[in-house]
């Protein structure tokens, strides 16, 4: 049976994909610019109460996020990176939009999401030979093994991206994900994640449980929010050097009261390279 957190996550995944196709975005010479719309055909982003979600609410969040990740993929392809691993890819079209001969895109997501994406891709008249759709549950599986089985080459540099993913994983799964990804990251690899950040000095577990209570009545899908220093330390612990660590690139996500004070949660974009 589908639980309320799963329904909320499905809605958010669909909101991301439906919102992103509204922007005018770059592409590679070989890229398919029509695939994005085709991939989201029929999606409604229905909330757990059965009401269609208001996609316009997410446009402010996507406005800096979509171009940030588009640029990373474009630059990596232009620089000769031959592997792009999209962690929690959802209905993201980047594997087709940034198609480039010799570049392999690995789209990783939960099995039902991958099955749905595979169905949608089969219905498109587009070249999918550069796309490896790869089922994984980051909470349970070893992403390193999953990538190896999917044909990822750990000796070659990779761009790993995770747009709006780690917020939905529990802290232990985030650790596990970073451990697995780092073990597949040859010299010259990059890792870019959006991370949810609360102001310093707050107890992260309390922030997460307050978000869950206030925003989702105790049944939310959001599990990991940390202060910036904790995120930077986590990257460093796994061998990643964060670029521009002193200057956060961010967008304000939401505000809520925590222990009597109004607290702002930001989505920050962290890009790191292997040391
Ligand atoms: C908010 S969506 C973002 C999707 C995509 N990155 C985008 O920006 O459009 C989060 C994605 O992470 C995936 N995800 C969440 N938990 C996961 C898990 N335990 N294992 C694999 N994927 C997961 C969801 O299925 C979903 O596609």
């Amino acid at each position: 049976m589908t639980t309320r957190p799963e329904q909320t996550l499905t809605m958010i995944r669909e909101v991301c994909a439906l919102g992103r196709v509204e922007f005018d975005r770059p592409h590679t010479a070989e890229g398919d610019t029509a695939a994005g719309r085709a991939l989201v055909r029929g999606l409604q982003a229905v909330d757990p109460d059965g009401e269609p979600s208001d996609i316009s609410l997410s446009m402010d969040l996507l406005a800096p996020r979509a171009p940030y990740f588009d640029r990373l993929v474009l630059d990596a392809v232009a620089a000769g990176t031959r592997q792009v691993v999209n962690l929690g890819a959802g209905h993201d079209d980047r594997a087709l939009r940034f198609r480039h001969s010799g570049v392999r895109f690995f789209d990783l997501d939960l099995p039902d999401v991958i099955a749905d994406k595979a169905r949608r891709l089969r219905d498109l008249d587009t070249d999918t030979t550069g796309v490896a759709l790869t089922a994984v549950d980051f909470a349970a599986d070893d992403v390193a093994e999953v990538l190896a089985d999917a044909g990822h080459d750990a000796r070659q540099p990779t761009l790993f991206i995770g747009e709006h993913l780690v917020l939905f994983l529990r802290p232990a799964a985030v650790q596990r994900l970073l451990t697995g990804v780092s073990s597949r990251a040859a010299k010259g690899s990059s890792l870019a994640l959006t991370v949810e950040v609360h102001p310093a000095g707050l107890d992260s577990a309390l922030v997460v449980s307050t978000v869950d209570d206030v925003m989702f009545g105790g049944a939310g899908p959001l599990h990991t929010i940390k202060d910036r220093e904790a995120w930077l330390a986590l990257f460093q612990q796994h061998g990643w050097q964060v670029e521009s660590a002193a200057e956060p690139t961010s967008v304000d996500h939401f505000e809520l009261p925590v222990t009597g004070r109004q607290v702002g949660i930001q989505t920050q974009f962290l890009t790191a390279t292997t040391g």
Side-chain angles (χ1 to χ4, degrees), residues 9-10 12-17 20 62 65 86-94 108-113 135-140 161-166 168-169 173:
L9 178 57
T10 298
I12 297 171
R13 175 173 56 241
E14 295 183 2
V15 163
C16 287
R20 203 185 290 105
L62 283 163
R65 217 172 76 197
N86 193 337
L87 304 159
H91 292 87
D92 187 334
D93 67 335
R94 291 193 175 95
L108 274 60
D109 211 298
L110 292 165
D112 59 322
V113 179
V136 64
D137 180 353
F138 297 126
I161 59 171
E163 182 182 349
H164 214 37
L165 166 70
V166 292
F168 302 102
L169 303 178

Side-chain angles (χ1 to χ4, degrees), residues 8-61:
T8 307
L9 178 57
T10 298
M11 176 195 75
I12 297 171
R13 175 173 56 241
E14 295 183 2
V15 163
C16 287
L18 288 166
R20 203 185 290 105
V21 298
E22 297 303 325
F23 294 97
D24 190 16
R25 297 168 58 211
H27 58 92
T28 52
E30 296 170 46
D32 183 338
T33 52
R37 276 198 189 278
L39 271 175
V40 300
R41 195 167 291 140
L43 295 185
Q44 287 191 307
V46 170
D47 73 18
D49 297 322
E51 296 297 323
S53 174
D54 181 357
I55 288 161
S56 65
L57 295 177
S58 69
M59 297 308 265
D60 290 347
L61 297 175

Side-chain angles (χ1 to χ4, degrees), residues 152-168:
H152 173 259
D153 184 351
R155 294 162 306 179
Q156 303 297 328
T158 302
L159 170 65
F160 298 91
I161 59 171
E163 182 182 349
H164 214 37
L165 166 70
V166 292
L167 168 63
F168 302 102

Side-chain angles (χ1 to χ4, degrees), residues 31-270:
D32 183 338
T33 52
R37 276 198 189 278
L39 271 175
V40 300
R41 195 167 291 140
L43 295 185
Q44 287 191 307
V46 170
D47 73 18
D49 297 322
E51 296 297 323
S53 174
D54 181 357
I55 288 161
S56 65
L57 295 177
S58 69
M59 297 308 265
D60 290 347
L61 297 175
L62 283 163
R65 217 172 76 197
Y68 183 92
F69 283 88
D70 284 348
R71 177 49 50 198
L72 284 174
V73 177
L74 263 183
D75 288 353
V77 169
T81 300
R82 291 291 171 259
Q83 302 182 108
V84 179
V85 172
N86 193 337
L87 304 159
H91 292 87
D92 187 334
D93 67 335
R94 291 193 175 95
L96 301 169
R97 173 171 288 277
F98 300 118
R99 181 162 57 209
H100 185 80
S101 301
V103 177
R104 190 128 188 87
F105 288 83
F106 298 83
D107 276 8
L108 274 60
D109 211 298
L110 292 165
D112 59 322
V113 179
I114 289 298
D116 179 60
K117 196 166 192 176
R119 260 192 311 275
R120 287 169 183 273
L121 284 180
R122 269 197 300 275
D123 289 346
L124 300 188
D125 181 21
T126 196
D127 175 9
T128 58
T129 48
V131 189
L133 293 182
T134 309
V136 64
D137 180 353
F138 297 126
D141 299 332
D142 179 351
V143 70
E145 274 176 24
V146 170
L147 281 171
D149 290 348
H152 173 259
D153 184 351
R155 294 162 306 179
Q156 303 297 328
T158 302
L159 170 65
F160 298 91
I161 59 171
E163 182 182 349
H164 214 37
L165 166 70
V166 292
L167 168 63
F168 302 102
L169 303 178
R170 293 184 190 278
V174 178
Q175 281 270 5
R176 189 186 176 90
L177 175 69
L178 285 177
T179 301
V181 159
S182 308
S183 75
R184 304 290 304 174
K187 194 167 170 9
S189 297
S190 300
L191 167 67
L193 299 177
T194 57
V195 298
E196 304 306 301
V197 177
H198 65 70
L202 293 171
D203 174 1
S204 298
L206 177 65
V207 172
V208 173
S209 67
T210 308
V211 168
D212 199 34
D213 287 345
V214 173
M215 293 174 62
F216 299 100
L222 280 52
H223 299 303
T224 300
I225 305 172
K226 299 175 184 286
D227 65 34
R228 182 170 171 85
E229 285 309 311
W231 282 115
L232 294 179
L234 191 63
F235 270 66
Q236 198 175 27
Q237 185 193 325
H238 288 88
W240 293 97
Q241 315 285 319
V242 175
E243 289 172 359
S244 312
E247 305 157 32
T249 311
S250 64
V251 58
D252 292 336
H253 195 170
F254 54 84
E255 272 196 11
L256 82 170
V258 180
T259 55
R261 104 175 213 227
Q262 202 64 7
V263 166
I265 307 295
Q266 285 190 323
T267 302
Q268 295 191 359
F269 312 159
L270 296 184

